[in-house]
Amino acid sequence: LKLALSKGCCLVSSSPQHTMGRAIAAAAATGLCVYSASQAFVSSGAPASSSPQAPGLRGAAAAAPDAGSFAGLGGMTAAVASAAVGAAAVRAAGVARSATAVKKKGVRVVEGKEIPWNIFMPKAPYQGKVVPNDVHPHTLTQDTGDANWETTHVTFEHGGNVPYIEGQSIGIIAPGPDKKGETPAKIRLYSIASSAVGDDQSSKTVSLCVKRVVEVDGEYANREVGEDKPDKAGTGFPDKKVYRGVCSNHICDMSPGDDVLITGPTGAEMLLPEEDDANVIMLATGTGIAPMRSYLRLLFHDKAGANADGSRKFKGLAWLFMGVPYSKSLLYDDEHQEYTKSYPDQFRYDYAVSREQKNAAGQKMYIQTKMAEFAEDLWELMQSPKTHIYMCGLKGMESGMEECFSPLAEKNGMVWKEFAKSMKKAKRYHVEVY
């Protein structure tokens, strides 16, 4: 997910900076600096726990060095380190959703709990490295003939210095220039596609799912005729005027060993519920799958989501609806198949492939069209206070929900908009659309 800060979409905190002494004092006063090392975030160079654990649905962080010691944090100040360890303490205990005021640097209070928050800012980003990913290839999609056919899976090493939880985002700073000619470009936010422990479960990496933005002969261009060159995937349009998204192309063209400037983490809207027996209905279009993948890795794959006997902590139902234009555009399908095979009673998924599928009435298959096939089942699930809806992707998804469920709501003496509002008030309706 890409949010342009220039349009006011940034979730970056504007809280005042604390001095190092005040941050350390505040951390010490709350006992954060001496929190058990077995529940703290990994620091650079520290050995990771072989089986990270945490209560609730959220992933655990791996072990850090001796409590109170911040050596080897790769240039982080003691204040940031204190904040990271403090965040780790509550991270292991689980966090809630809607954010409140920032109390200290690197931490945000969320319904009485603390989560990592803007440990690194645009003026002082963390410099990570692109690393190979043995879970997925760099390019996830196949060429459909569209200019913007490519979606990539890119992994950055952060040495444990950028802790995050499932559902959060990080910012990436591209060299630029951007549309306004700024160098470096303003940051763009992307939903994190890996669970808190990362694809390698070391708590030292973070992965993004990024669609390469390419527009040909559109209203705006940053490459005139004759200037566009083939990108890493080999796609180029030298005979046309082309606009290439500055940050998306920066990320999609990266190779292992490249440097990357990271800010964050940030975001509290899309965090998982604390209850192990919650039902999770996920709606994603395109790269809106990113936070959903982070949830599913934790719920059905990572050691952090397993009990000591190997069973999963998650006891509810996870149901994914994903919308893409072509079957060649499907993302992480191999993982979805594996989860269904291993946990058939707890995970199901349905795809809406709009340019290839139609429903019985001959309508193009969008997410709301696919959901309509299971409307009664979904409506019944939504009546349970244990059911949460997560929506990430194109803004039209919300109107699609209304189209799908208004008739059922009316049938049951309700108005869909009011019912959705009640779910939001109960913090069971999570939306991140653009």
Side-chain angles (χ1 to χ4, degrees):
L1 170 62
K2 178 183 68 163
L3 299 181
L5 303 190
S6 60
K7 294 184 178 179
C9 299
C10 178
L11 298 177
V12 175
S13 165
S14 59
S15 61
Q17 299 292 323
H18 295 295
T19 63
M20 181 184 301
R22 288 176 63 192
I24 295 174
T30 53
L32 299 181
C33 289
V34 293
Y35 193 85
S36 170
S38 65
Q39 298 190 36
F41 288 104
V42 168
S43 295
S44 179
S49 167
S50 59
S51 56
Q53 298 289 327
L57 295 185
R58 300 183 183 90
D66 294 340
S69 171
F70 301 110
L73 277 170
M76 289 177 67
T77 64
V80 173
S82 298
V85 174
V90 298
R91 169 68 181 80
V95 298
R97 293 159 293 279
S98 299
T100 58
V102 173
K103 298 296 184 182
K104 61 177 72 70
K105 182 175 179 178
V107 173
R108 186 157 191 163
V109 178
V110 177
E111 292 187 6
K113 302 295 179 68
E114 293 180 338
I115 64 173
W117 194 273
N118 286 333
I119 298 172
F120 293 94
M121 304 291 284
K123 291 184 178 180
Y126 179 80
Q127 182 170 300
K129 289 277 187 185
V130 181
V131 294
N133 188 299
D134 57 6
V135 177
H136 287 286
H138 180 82
T139 298
L140 298 173
T141 49
Q142 300 176 53
D143 193 342
T144 62
D146 288 349
N148 59 348
W149 65 272
E150 186 186 17
T151 298
T152 62
H153 184 88
V154 187
T155 301
F156 309 129
E157 193 274 336
H158 60 73
N161 297 322
V162 189
Y164 60 89
I165 57 179
E166 293 82 9
Q168 287 195 296
S169 302
I170 57 171
I172 301 296
I173 302 176
D178 59 17
K179 275 187 176 182
K180 294 185 176 181
E182 294 189 29
T183 302
K186 285 191 175 182
I187 75 167
R188 295 294 184 267
L189 292 181
Y190 293 89
S191 294
I192 296 170
S194 52
S195 58
V197 295
D199 286 348
D200 61 359
Q201 301 190 62
S202 70
S203 295
K204 296 182 180 182
T205 65
V206 58
S207 297
L208 299 181
C209 177
V210 180
K211 182 180 182 67
R212 185 190 294 275
V213 176
V214 183
E215 298 174 5
V216 177
D217 289 336
E219 182 178 346
Y220 182 82
N222 52 10
R223 288 163 175 77
E224 297 299 325
V225 174
E227 293 182 352
D228 191 53
K229 297 179 180 179
D231 51 37
K232 185 174 180 178
T235 303
F237 303 92
D239 58 337
K240 299 180 183 297
K241 293 176 63 174
V242 179
Y243 171 73
R244 287 185 176 269
V246 175
C247 200
S248 68
N249 279 265
H250 170 61
I251 296 172
C252 291
D253 282 335
M254 285 180 168
S255 297
D258 289 349
D259 292 332
V260 59
L261 297 179
I262 300 172
T263 67
T266 190
E269 172 65 23
M270 298 290 285
L271 307 186
L272 280 169
E274 295 191 50
E275 300 82 7
D276 289 343
D277 60 348
N279 298 313
V280 181
I281 300 173
M282 298 162 283
L283 318 178
T285 55
T287 54
I289 193 67
M292 318 310 178
R293 180 182 185 261
S294 75
Y295 307 154
L296 295 174
R297 294 282 291 183
L298 170 63
L299 301 184
F300 299 118
H301 178 271
D302 295 344
K303 292 179 182 178
N307 293 308
D309 63 0
S311 63
R312 306 306 299 179
K313 294 178 182 178
F314 178 60
K315 304 302 180 185
L317 171 68
W319 192 346
L320 170 67
F321 289 87
M322 181 181 182
V324 294
Y326 304 100
S327 54
K328 290 182 177 181
S329 308
L330 288 170
L331 303 168
Y332 308 114
D333 179 56
D334 55 337
E335 295 185 2
H336 303 154
Q337 292 184 43
E338 181 59 35
Y339 300 149
T340 301
K341 179 180 178 181
S342 300
Y343 306 99
D345 297 328
Q346 286 190 275
F347 177 68
R348 62 180 298 179
Y349 66 94
D350 288 279
Y351 296 148
V353 186
S354 61
R355 299 187 188 180
E356 296 177 4
Q357 298 176 345
K358 293 184 178 180
N359 65 3
Q363 298 171 313
K364 284 188 175 182
M365 189 67 75
Y366 297 109
I367 280 186
Q368 67 268 26
T369 322
K370 176 58 70 173
M371 293 182 74
E373 297 178 3
F374 309 97
E376 293 281 356
D377 294 336
L378 292 167
W379 176 258
E380 184 177 350
L381 273 174
M382 284 188 277
Q383 307 315 301
S384 168
K386 294 182 179 181
T387 298
H388 290 249
I389 293 177
Y390 291 86
M391 191 181 309
C392 188
L394 299 177
K395 195 171 185 177
M397 296 168 69
E398 285 193 274
S399 59
M401 287 286 286
E402 183 176 0
E403 175 187 325
C404 181
F405 293 107
S406 282
L408 272 174
E410 185 177 352
K411 179 181 175 181
N412 287 274
M414 303 180 195
V415 176
W416 167 254
K417 286 186 177 180
E418 294 302 316
F419 179 71
K421 188 181 298 184
S422 70
M423 288 192 72
K424 290 178 182 178
K425 187 175 181 180
K427 305 190 185 305
R428 299 195 295 121
Y429 196 89
H430 313 268
V431 181
E432 194 168 80
V433 293
Y434 51 89

